[in-house]
Each structure stands twice: as structure tokens, then as C-alpha cells.
Amino acid sequence: AHSYTKYNTWTDIVAWMSSMTSSSSGLMTKQVIGNTYEGRAMTVLKIGKASSSTKPAIFMDCGIHAREWISPAFCQWFVKEALSTYGTDSQMTSLLDQMDVYVLPVFNIDGYDFTHKSNRMWRKTRSRRSGSSCIGADPNRNFDAGWCSMGASSNPCSDTFCGYTPESEIEVKNVADFIRRNKSTIKAYLTIHSYSQLLLFPYSYTYDLAADHNELMKVAEGASSALRSLYGTRYTSGPGATTIYPAAGGSDDWAYDLGVKYSYTFELRDTGRYGFLLPESQIKPTCEETMLAVKGAVKFWRRIS
Ligand code: 0X9
Ligand code: ZN
């Protein structure tokens, strides 16, 4: 059964998406953006008050990397908070009145399912190609942003394999197509990973600073101080290349170069004690503090944009 304080299986998440949509009184709708390599439906949840005029939107995905279980847990938490506090929390109410939030709860569903059934430390997709016995590519090296130029591997057996071509992974193609289709409304892109407690922004495929570096840094610092205010958890902010490592083909750099200015990668708890195996007892505090960061960032960029 589904629980917000457990790491849910894909089957439980599917049932949860349906029941949440049904009970949302029209505040949330579901939309399939394509299937994964193994044929699972990739479902985007659109949350926002229906409006006759076009609203600006935020796109958030979780679970690009299969083993980063706290990430899908956060997307589920966010959906719960959005639906349950709309109408009572003034910040959430005005956010959903004025904007739509697209949430993809699990990006790499095949990989996520594999971590539950076979190999807890799997990272990549589960695609196969004749000519190699190794499976999958790193979805966060497969976007068309300086593709495979640095911090990525062209060896199909590597955990950071960039894929055979940009968007060779169907999951990446489906998400990129969706964002391209909705490019005129999507103003912010958030992608949730773990672990390291970082708030990263472009670029990671080059050491060049983004044109909007100063503004991206201000929003990140505002968000991390909001996050820290709850339990004192410390985050570091900065461009990916210098803050974590150079790595091309990431979704954040790709979205930014497409024109989505507020493009961020969150690396959630912890800093390595448990790493990807973050205990379930930390789901609630991690999600609560991350909610403050996301709401803080939204508030800030709505003020300045
Ligand atoms: O390496 C990654 O893809 C991310 N770290 S993780 O430990 N979750 O794998 C960092 C991504 C930063 N952004 C880009 N490299 N574009
Ligand atoms: Zn990751």
C-alpha cells in the first residue's frame, strides 16, 4: 500500500496517481507523455486551478536516476502538499491560481522498478542494443547539451554512458518532446536527485558561466536558506561544473539552453552517511525542508520576473 513515509513501488505509485487525480476536484489532471523502453506509461501530473487564459508553468521531474529513492518520494510529497494545502496555505493557493505545476513522479520507471526487484544500486535506464551485452544509458548524460563532451562515457557498460545518440533513450525523448511542446509556458525546470545537499544550476557541460548566473545564484541562495531554516540542513549552491563536477548531456543544461531560465538540479540528503540508502525515517524531514526550498524559489522568481 502507498505511504508518504515509505519508498513506494512503481505499482503503488500508479494506483496513487489515479486516486489522487480522482479526489483532486479538478485541481490535478493526468497526461501520458509516452512509454518507457519496457512499455510503462510515463505520466505527467498537471496541478493548477483551471483557467481560461494560458498560465505560466513549472516542470519538475523526479527519479531520473533509479537508485535515488528519496527523489520520487519528494515528488509524491509535493503533490500531496499541493492538493491538501490549496485553499488554506496562501502561498500554495496563489501559486496554483497563477501557475501550473507539471510533475513527473518517476522519470526512469524501468530503472526504478529494477532497483526494487533486482539491483538496489542501478542508476541507468534498461534499454538494450544488439552488439552490447551491457544495459541502459545514463538519462542525465543523454540530453542534447554538449552531449558526451565531458564527464560522460561512450562505453555502454559505464554507469555514465551517454547513449548512442542524444535522446537515444525513449524516456529522455518523451520528456524533451513534452518540454519543447510546452516551451512557451514553462518558465522553470526542477529536477530532483540525491545525494550531496546541493542546489545546482547551469552549466555542467562547460565552465562558462550562464548568462543569468547572478540571478540563478540569488534564487538558489534564497531557496537554500529557506531549506536550512527548518532543521539546519546545509546546502551548497552553484553551477554544476564547479560545484559537483563537469558532466555534459544533463537535463538542466538542456532546458536552460532551450530558454527555460530557472533551471535547477536539487541533490537532496544526505552528504554520504547513508547516501542513496537514506532511511525511510528521513523521508518526512527531507521532504518538509525541500518543500520550503521549492516554495522559496517560486516566490523569489515570481517577484523578480
Ligand atoms: O551526475 C549527475 O547526473 C548528477 N549527480 S547524481 O549523483 N544524482 O548522479 C548531477 C547533475 C548536475 N547537472 C548536470 N551534470 N547537467
Ligand atoms: Zn542523480
Side-chain angles (χ1 to χ4, degrees), residues 27 46-51 55-60 74 78-79 81-83 85-103 187-188 190 291-303:
L27 198 58
K46 180 184 184 180
I47 315 170
K49 172 126 176 68
S51 156
K55 295 162 79 190
I58 301 170
F59 183 96
M60 177 166 75
F74 176 70
F78 180 90
V79 169
E81 285 293 309
L83 298 180
T85 65
Y86 179 78
T88 53
D89 178 82
S90 62
Q91 214 181 335
M92 189 59 84
T93 307
S94 68
L95 168 65
L96 299 177
D97 280 343
Q98 290 163 33
M99 298 182 93
D100 291 319
V101 185
Y102 293 109
V103 179
K187 305 297 174 199
L190 302 179
M291 278 305 296
L292 296 185
V294 170
K295 288 166 83 176
V298 171
K299 188 165 129 190
F300 200 87
W301 73 59
R302 285 159 87 220
R303 201 168 68 218

Side-chain angles (χ1 to χ4, degrees), residues 65 68 123 140-141 193-194 200 204 244-245 247 250 252-253 265 267:
H65 291 134
E68 299 167 8
R123 166 178 170 96
N140 215 32
R141 298 293 179 278
H193 289 251
S194 73
L200 307 171
S204 290
I244 179 167
Y245 39 63
D252 49 2
D253 286 355
T265 296
E267 296 279 1

Side-chain angles (χ1 to χ4, degrees), residues 233-296:
T233 308
R234 291 186 168 271
Y235 269 60
T236 304
S237 311
T242 50
T243 309
I244 179 167
Y245 39 63
S251 61
D252 49 2
D253 286 355
W254 173 81
Y256 182 75
D257 282 347
L258 185 75
V260 183
K261 179 168 163 185
Y262 299 104
S263 178
Y264 289 97
T265 296
F266 279 77
E267 296 279 1
L268 304 184
R269 288 193 196 184
D270 56 11
T271 55
R273 177 166 183 196
Y274 297 105
F276 302 119
L277 307 180
L278 193 72
E280 288 181 330
S281 59
Q282 290 199 40
I283 296 175
K284 184 173 189 276
T286 303
C287 292
E288 281 174 335
E289 68 190 9
T290 309
M291 278 305 296
L292 296 185
V294 170
K295 288 166 83 176

